[in-house]
Amino acid sequence: MPSCHDVMVGLPPWVLSGSLTVAAASSLWLLSRGTLTSAGPSPWRFEVTSLRPVRWLVDRRWFQFALQVPLVAILGFILYAGVEGTPVADRNFATVVTWGLWWTLLIVDIVLLGRMWCLVCPWDALASWLRRLAFWRRGDEPLALDLPWPRWLRNVYPATILFVGLTWLELGYGVTMSPRATAFLGLAMVLMAVVPALFFEKKSFCKYGCLIGRICGLYSMLAPVELRSRDKAICAECKTKDCLTGNERGYPCPTGQCLTSMTTNTYCTVCTECIKSCPHDNVAINLRAWGGDLHNLRKPRKDEAILALVMLSLTSFHGLTMTPTWNELLASARAASGLGYLAAFTLGMVAILLLPGGLYLGLCSVAVRLPGWERRSLLGAPRRRDAMWAVASAYAYPLIAVALCYHLAHNAGHFLTEAAAIVPVLSDPLGSGQDLFGTASFVPRPLASMPTIWALMVLLVLLGHVWATRATRSSLERLKEQLRIGTPPRTSRWVMGCFVLMCTAANLWLLAQPMEMRTGL
């Protein structure tokens, strides 16, 4: 059973009540406005690759390799420190860097840079180098068998299952408190990246199975960075589709994306191969307004919608497990049932995982039964169950904003209170009594005051609420043709808006609870 080091004080009652009032008022104002075409993406773009030094860099074949090498070196030292270093979590480089810094800052990276983690991913680097037997040279891939990825696995369900499994290991089994377990988990990730890369075509595991890649993929729909074609007309006239198939200058797109039709960040890994291979110099990396892909979505997918719901549930579950309320519930359940810790934790996790999803699907079922719903379509009236899943898939994407911003708020609390723990660990990474840089005796302290941390967390949660509510207003209106349903009544978005408000209220309540720190201070 995981232990805790310290407790971070939750939001004061007046901050909680004020935040709930702002969330409710913003929902009322946004949902009461007319049919929303005005909430679409901002047309503003700035092409980063128009800057000559940036363009020169991304055109180099060694560009990605140069970024990956430091991350591979850090991964290697994490594996070594986890096995050979001290078993004390807050004195070992493996646990402090993995859970105190990387796992926390990964969400910040997505919010600011989108899929850039995939560009530097050390697991993908090892898989690609081994598959190609080259670091950056464009050539054959002699160790790749290029078998087709199984058709029944061409969805994000494998990544969803792995995400649930990682959450169980992190919170139930207590991986964050064990340097050795952290190292073995990192090694397992190496194997999960390398083995499929050797057997299957392109980077099928990155597209369908990588839990980090799929989480980054959905979260990056809100990011202010994108890789897109400069001119869609040029892409439409292109006969060779080198961005997809590759040529002598660049490898084929590792996740099978064609810039002619790509409108979201979800499956692009920003490997920059298409920039190198495009014969028309028609590929750009742009800065844009946050949240653009929520309005560019054209074909909602059931598997992605389910992953979005799982992300919504598990991000809140992370916060819940660090509160006294969860410990009390777990202790009561164990006393009543006689179950051990892991069994009780697992059942509680399953219940928390299913509860928001069940409530959401129930509200979607209510939405398609509201008076005024038009069920006519070009193919005739769809079955009520199909209509329910169509609504559920369309409305699930705005929930990504709720999950992302709570995840960011939760991680901000961890980072600002625990990040300083890296200072003494840098001088003594194995916990063996060394003092390499003279900082081993440094006493870590929070990086910000509690009022500052509270303000930041509340602002992030409310930002996610506003993003999600605005996207909820327009989801069905803009997707009705793709979903092959008629125009829904306005009341249907009120139902979904209420669900968003309930999720925001639950997350604000979690921030008001004392949070038990599990690593660092």
Side-chain angles (χ1 to χ4, degrees):
M1 176 178 177
S3 59
C4 64
H5 291 286
D6 203 352
V7 174
M8 186 175 74
V9 180
L11 302 177
W14 69 269
V15 175
L16 175 61
S17 59
S19 304
L20 291 172
T21 301
V22 171
S26 63
S27 291
L28 182 63
W29 179 66
L30 288 170
L31 292 171
S32 62
R33 298 172 67 193
T35 299
L36 198 46
T37 57
S38 60
S42 167
W44 178 81
R45 294 289 189 279
F46 173 75
E47 185 186 337
V48 178
T49 45
S50 66
L51 302 175
R52 188 168 296 179
V54 176
R55 187 73 191 194
W56 183 86
L57 272 175
V58 298
D59 275 338
R60 304 306 102 187
R61 285 239 44 94
W62 47 261
F63 170 66
Q64 185 176 23
F65 170 78
L67 296 177
Q68 289 174 327
V69 166
L71 274 296
V72 171
I74 292 173
L75 173 62
F77 193 72
I78 285 173
L79 300 182
Y80 172 75
V83 174
E84 297 295 331
T86 175
V88 180
D90 53 8
R91 293 179 56 202
N92 192 295
F93 183 88
T95 43
V96 172
V97 170
T98 301
W99 305 111
L101 293 183
W102 171 72
W103 194 234
T104 299
L105 293 179
L106 177 63
I107 307 303
V108 179
D109 170 70
I110 298 169
V111 170
L112 297 179
L113 300 175
R115 297 301 303 273
M116 292 301 173
W117 167 254
C118 294
L119 173 66
V120 302
C121 175
W123 297 294
D124 174 62
L126 294 172
S128 297
W129 298 345
L130 186 59
R131 175 187 172 99
R132 300 167 182 172
L133 292 182
F135 290 119
W136 65 79
R137 176 180 54 85
R138 172 67 173 103
D140 296 329
E141 298 178 310
L143 294 187
L145 297 180
D146 282 333
L147 300 175
W149 187 259
R151 184 173 297 275
W152 61 279
L153 287 177
R154 293 179 187 177
N155 49 60
V156 298
Y157 294 132
T160 304
I161 293 170
L162 288 176
F163 180 42
V164 173
L166 176 63
T167 302
W168 183 85
L169 287 172
E170 179 188 355
L171 302 177
Y173 191 74
V175 167
T176 61
M177 297 303 299
S178 171
R180 184 176 290 267
T182 298
F184 288 153
L185 181 60
L187 182 60
M189 288 291 293
V190 171
L191 295 176
M192 283 192 289
V194 169
V195 174
L198 297 180
F199 282 92
F200 297 104
E201 59 187 353
K202 297 184 178 179
K203 295 183 181 178
S204 298
F205 179 77
C206 290
K207 183 175 182 178
Y208 300 114
C210 178
L211 64 102
I212 297 171
R214 290 303 91 237
I215 293 170
C216 290
L218 287 187
Y219 276 166
S220 67
M221 295 177 72
L222 285 84
V225 178
E226 64 179 12
L227 186 147
R228 297 288 188 275
S229 62
R230 286 197 181 100
D231 188 338
K232 289 291 185 184
I234 294 176
C235 281
E237 294 173 0
C238 179
K239 304 300 182 183
T240 56
K241 306 299 181 188
D242 298 74
C243 62
L244 176 63
T245 60
N247 54 32
E248 69 279 1
R249 293 185 299 275
Y251 285 99
C253 177
T255 55
Q257 303 301 293
C258 181
L259 287 170
T260 305
S261 56
M262 190 175 76
T263 58
T264 68
N265 289 342
T266 312
Y267 295 100
C268 174
T269 60
V270 202
C271 64
T272 70
E273 292 295 335
C274 57
I275 295 178
K276 299 172 177 63
S277 63
C278 179
H280 309 291
D281 193 23
N282 193 40
V283 185
I285 297 176
N286 301 317
L287 296 179
R288 65 180 190 183
W290 272 286
D293 286 357
L294 291 183
H295 307 285
N296 285 332
L297 183 68
R298 292 294 176 264
K299 294 182 179 179
R301 290 174 40 169
K302 182 179 177 180
D303 59 330
E304 291 180 352
I306 290 175
L307 176 56
L309 287 171
V310 169
M311 290 163 61
L312 178 74
S313 298
L314 292 188
T315 51
S316 298
F317 181 66
H318 271 73
L320 178 63
T321 60
M322 297 180 185
T323 66
T325 300
W326 170 257
N327 292 330
E328 293 168 5
L329 290 173
L330 204 59
S332 299
R334 292 182 62 190
S337 63
L339 294 174
Y341 172 78
L342 279 180
F345 181 92
T346 303
L347 290 177
M349 177 176 167
V350 171
I352 298 299
L353 181 62
L354 295 179
L355 181 61
L359 176 60
Y360 176 75
L361 294 179
L363 289 174
C364 290
S365 181
V366 169
V368 299
R369 288 170 168 79
L370 291 172
W373 186 275
E374 179 60 62
R375 296 187 179 86
R376 291 194 303 270
S377 73
L378 296 176
L379 301 180
R383 292 180 300 171
R384 193 181 296 274
R385 180 179 178 184
D386 293 338
M388 186 273 290
W389 272 111
V391 173
S393 298
Y395 274 133
Y397 289 87
L399 299 176
I400 296 169
V402 178
L404 171 62
C405 288
Y406 174 74
H407 203 160
L408 190 59
H410 176 85
N411 282 9
H414 277 290
F415 180 78
L416 293 174
T417 54
E418 298 182 313
I422 188 61
V423 176
V425 171
L426 287 175
S427 282
D428 188 16
L430 302 182
S432 57
Q434 295 179 308
D435 193 4
L436 300 176
F437 305 110
T439 62
S441 60
F442 177 81
V443 179
R445 299 184 184 280
L447 301 180
S449 65
M450 282 312 303
T452 301
I453 295 174
W454 290 334
L456 177 61
M457 292 193 298
V458 167
L459 286 174
L460 288 170
V461 170
L462 292 179
L463 175 62
H465 175 75
V466 170
W467 261 345
T469 305
R470 293 184 75 231
T472 296
R473 286 179 57 205
S474 59
S475 289
L476 286 187
E477 284 82 352
R478 292 181 297 100
L479 297 172
K480 61 183 180 183
E481 293 181 4
Q482 286 71 28
L483 297 175
R484 296 181 297 190
I485 59 177
T487 303
R490 287 187 182 181
T491 46
S492 64
R493 69 170 178 240
W494 280 93
V495 174
M496 293 300 104
C498 288
F499 181 75
V500 171
L501 180 58
M502 285 189 289
C503 293
T504 299
N507 288 337
L508 288 170
W509 177 84
L510 285 173
L511 295 181
Q513 309 307 305
M515 182 190 298
E516 296 176 347
M517 300 288 102
R518 300 189 184 233
T519 60
L521 297 181

